Amino acid sequence: MEGMLKENALKGKTIIVTGGGTGLGRSMGKYFLELGANLVISSRKMDVLEKAAKELEQETGGKVLPIACDIRKYEEIEDVLQIAEKEFGQVHGVLNNAAGNFISPTERLSHRAFDIVVDIVLRGTYNFTLATGKNWINKKQPGTFLNIVTTYAWTGSGFVVPSSCAKAGVLALTRSLAAEWAKYKIRSNAIAPGPFPTEGAWKRLFPGEVAEKIDPLKRIPLGRFGEHQELANLAAYLMSDYSSYVNGEVVTIDGGEWIKGAGEFNTLEEVPNEMWDQLEKMRSKK
């Protein structure tokens, strides 16, 4: 899988990626760098960020600024913006990617566990969005927000209830500010990724025995998982000027997974041809 945008499609732009030191955030950030952007990565663990920044600079030749930040704390986000602007002059886009999740029956969760997920996903996203948006508005500067949500933000899902609640809030934030802040030339969009395996998060979500029992591949009509570059291509497009007329949109990239799960009769694909033959014969007798 190759990158899809023109060379230097993001040249001169500075983009902040929360949770940018690992997983999908790192993959998207890497492609931003390859397209000429300056990259700011943030998370709570500075050692992880510094390691990722060094590797990304070596891999791309781009400039990466690692800044430790707990996105649940508004003042720390203001510090990130100040440091980023001092280094690069302006911040042009924010990818709200940082997240947390627990796969668990809801009744087994403590209220603290619920708080942790909602605080990281929803509070963290609106904190970063509010701080950056106010900064852009005060400076009369255009900007782009790209938020990572999930398809269960609109369908709901058992066993990930804190995440479902939080992601639904992020989706509402995305669409609401797309309408309210467009007058400031600030766009807000979202991506709802399906399964894109990552080393750490994937094993936590689908530990060995669980993966064997539910087999996530069976839920995906295309019969495969997503490649990181596919997601990075979409993220780069939505962050670039090529998507300047896209605002308030959520783009699903999941191989058709949520549609298959939503369709009441989609599991009938398990019915063998012999049984279909019998059903047709039964109908013809009526």
Side-chain angles (χ1 to χ4, degrees), residues 8-41:
N8 292 323
L10 294 175
K11 186 176 182 179
K13 293 186 181 294
T14 296
I15 300 172
I16 298 175
V17 180
T18 67
T22 59
L24 297 179
R26 186 189 189 282
S27 296
M28 290 183 281
K30 180 182 178 183
Y31 190 43
F32 297 163
L33 286 166
E34 291 172 351
L35 292 172
N38 300 312
L39 184 67
V40 180
I41 54 175

Side-chain angles (χ1 to χ4, degrees), residues 29-149:
K30 180 182 178 183
Y31 190 43
F32 297 163
L33 286 166
E34 291 172 351
L35 292 172
N38 300 312
L39 184 67
V40 180
I41 54 175
S42 73
S43 72
R44 287 178 295 167
K45 298 180 179 179
M46 192 60 183
D47 57 333
V48 173
L49 292 173
E50 289 177 335
K51 180 175 182 292
K54 183 178 179 180
E55 292 173 349
L56 286 168
E57 288 185 338
Q58 292 173 345
E59 292 167 10
T60 67
K63 177 66 176 176
V64 184
L65 177 64
I67 308 175
C69 172
D70 185 342
I71 58 176
R72 296 171 295 183
K73 298 177 181 178
Y74 190 87
E75 296 77 12
E76 293 190 16
I77 295 168
E78 292 181 313
D79 291 341
V80 171
L81 294 172
Q82 183 176 4
I83 295 169
E85 288 181 334
K86 183 177 180 180
E87 178 72 19
F88 297 118
Q90 285 184 332
V91 172
H92 302 87
V94 172
L95 172 55
N96 283 306
N97 166 76
N101 203 354
F102 293 107
I103 305 298
S104 172
T106 307
E107 68 273 15
R108 289 175 176 261
L109 293 173
S110 68
H111 68 279
R112 293 182 182 85
F114 211 112
D115 286 345
I116 287 170
V117 174
V118 173
D119 280 353
I120 294 172
V121 176
L122 181 54
R123 183 189 299 273
T125 298
Y126 71 62
N127 275 348
F128 228 110
T129 300
L130 188 61
T132 309
K134 285 186 173 185
N135 184 49
W136 286 340
I137 291 167
N138 287 338
K139 295 178 178 177
K140 295 181 172 57
Q141 179 192 328
T144 302
F145 290 111
L146 181 57
N147 301 324
I148 301 299
V149 295

Side-chain angles (χ1 to χ4, degrees), residues 164-218:
S164 183
C165 294
K167 291 292 190 181
V170 173
L171 182 56
L173 177 74
T174 303
R175 288 172 168 161
S176 300
L177 290 181
E180 184 179 344
W181 283 357
K183 63 188 177 186
Y184 300 119
K185 294 183 172 57
I186 296 173
R187 295 188 298 123
S188 296
N189 291 297
I191 297 175
F196 285 81
T198 58
E199 184 63 29
W202 191 255
K203 289 183 178 180
R204 290 194 297 272
L205 290 173
F206 298 105
E209 293 183 4
V210 173
E212 290 176 8
K213 288 184 178 181
I214 66 173
D215 191 359
L217 272 179
K218 289 183 178 179

